[in-house]
Amino acid sequence: MKNDCIGDEFMYKVLVVDDSAFMRQLIKSILESTGKFVVTVAQTPLIALDRVRKFKFDVITIDYEMPYMNGVELIKKIKEITDTKILMISAYTRPGAYTTFEALSAGAFDYILKPSSEEELEEFKYELIKKLTAVCEECKKEDTSKVHELPAAVEGKILLEESIVERVRLARVIGIGISTGGPPVLERMFKSLKKDFPIPILVVQHMPPNFTKPFADRLATITSKCIKEVSDKEEIKGGCIYIAKGGYHLAVEEMNGKLFTRVLDLEKIKSHKPSADILFSSIAEACGRASVGIVMTGMGSDGSDGILEMRKKGALTIAQDEKSCVVFGMPKAAIEKGAIELVLNPDQIVELLNRV
């Protein structure tokens, strides 16, 4: 049976659900101007559900504030009908952040912020095209069953070799770089991580400034673990998970034998701030072989240079496998650089960590 992700031979099919005529037309014009997408619109959730029952779409964009039912409720109903990828259109506010995480938990693969200025409109256009193109291309690869040919000896290694577990056990810190599709994956992983896990974890999840604290608060609530948005010059303690602050880079620094966080207001790296490259590079410098680096689902190549530095210092380096990624860009880039020792899915990663 043909994968729902695939449109016709040349164009991807998109359903835009928004009660604002302006936003419907804006998204439609942006996408159709690329020549890659053919767009159908729906001004209410009820019309959207009717469209979904009658037609196959590669991806659906959904606004949160709509009549009859909100965006999260609509996502849940769509997921009962089809596994089509869904992008949430979110408000750039703290309440908007909380609803966005509900949408991601309900099944949206990612989100994009509504523009409120000319400058933000340009960013909106860029992000919209980039995210929809990336997820459609990933789905097309799944449908044709073409798996990337990757360097040998990274996939299929025995997960629970005692020597691998021992290297994790000796780590002073674990760094994770993750982007598109990340929040639900981190939620599941941290829920499954054992309560007394002793090694601190530092996470770069690509997010805007207003979103990282609500994200950390949400993770802390649903996992009952020590999870917080990071502060500058904070001593890194075992058993805690630190989420990088949106709009700033996160680094690790050693002082007097102890590890501390650094929150840095520097230029974007590979269009990202925070950047996984900054985190991984600082871990390589501060901890050397006594560390673990994990690069996970996301577009682009952020993290690939930093995690290569970690591997050169003897750290254990892990990439998420292609099958479980929403977008395989970041892990693929790291693997192709020769930076990765193990390729695992999120459940295997947690299984490894729980052996410590």
Side-chain angles (χ1 to χ4, degrees), residues 46-61:
L46 299 181
I47 293 173
L49 289 171
D50 182 64
R51 297 274 195 274
V52 168
R53 290 187 184 100
K54 291 178 178 176
F55 307 104
K56 289 185 177 181
F57 297 96
D58 301 314
V59 66
I60 301 168
T61 72

Side-chain angles (χ1 to χ4, degrees), residues 76-148:
K76 292 176 180 178
K77 288 186 177 296
I78 289 174
K79 287 297 181 180
E80 293 174 0
I81 301 169
T82 177
D83 199 30
T84 299
K85 301 293 185 183
I86 298 172
L87 180 75
M88 188 75 179
I89 309 296
S90 301
Y92 188 72
T93 62
R94 184 152 292 188
Y98 286 107
T99 58
T100 297
F101 300 135
E102 289 179 18
L104 294 170
S105 183
F109 78 90
D110 205 352
Y111 62 94
I112 187 171
L113 300 179
K114 280 187 176 180
S116 59
S117 66
E118 279 296 322
E119 183 179 321
E120 289 180 7
L121 179 57
E122 289 306 309
E123 180 72 10
F124 179 81
K125 290 178 181 178
Y126 172 76
E127 288 292 320
L128 181 67
I129 293 169
K130 181 179 75 169
K131 290 186 176 186
L132 293 198
T133 300
V135 77
C136 286
E137 289 177 351
E138 287 290 325
C139 288
K140 186 173 183 179
K141 284 185 299 189
E142 289 175 13
D143 187 69
T144 54
S145 301
K146 289 182 180 178
V147 178
H148 292 294

Side-chain angles (χ1 to χ4, degrees), residues 122-239:
E122 289 306 309
E123 180 72 10
F124 179 81
K125 290 178 181 178
Y126 172 76
E127 288 292 320
L128 181 67
I129 293 169
K130 181 179 75 169
K131 290 186 176 186
L132 293 198
T133 300
V135 77
C136 286
E137 289 177 351
E138 287 290 325
C139 288
K140 186 173 183 179
K141 284 185 299 189
E142 289 175 13
D143 187 69
T144 54
S145 301
K146 289 182 180 178
V147 178
H148 292 294
E149 292 185 10
L150 299 170
V154 294
E155 197 158 12
K157 195 165 182 175
I158 298 172
L159 172 59
L160 295 179
E161 280 182 5
E162 189 54 38
S163 61
I164 298 294
V165 176
E166 185 61 25
R167 288 173 67 189
V168 178
R169 194 173 286 130
L170 294 174
R172 298 179 68 189
V173 69
I174 295 170
I176 297 177
I178 191 166
S179 188
T180 310
V185 174
L186 293 175
E187 183 177 316
R188 291 194 301 271
M189 286 177 63
F190 295 156
K191 273 184 178 178
S192 301
L193 192 66
K194 65 182 184 179
K195 290 183 179 180
D196 60 346
F197 185 72
I199 305 168
I201 300 174
L202 282 74
V203 180
V204 164
Q205 162 70 65
H206 296 154
M207 274 185 183
N210 283 357
F211 279 49
T212 46
K213 188 175 189 309
F215 179 52
D217 291 345
R218 173 182 169 84
L219 288 175
T221 298
I222 64 179
T223 66
S224 299
K225 291 183 173 70
C226 172
I227 302 178
K228 60 175 79 174
E229 183 188 57
V230 73
S231 299
D232 191 30
K233 298 181 180 178
E234 182 176 0
E235 184 179 351
I236 297 172
K237 296 182 178 179

Side-chain angles (χ1 to χ4, degrees), residues 248-260:
Y248 294 86
H249 293 299
L250 170 60
V252 174
E253 184 175 61
E254 184 177 34
M255 291 185 286
N256 300 319
K258 296 181 179 180
L259 297 177
F260 293 85

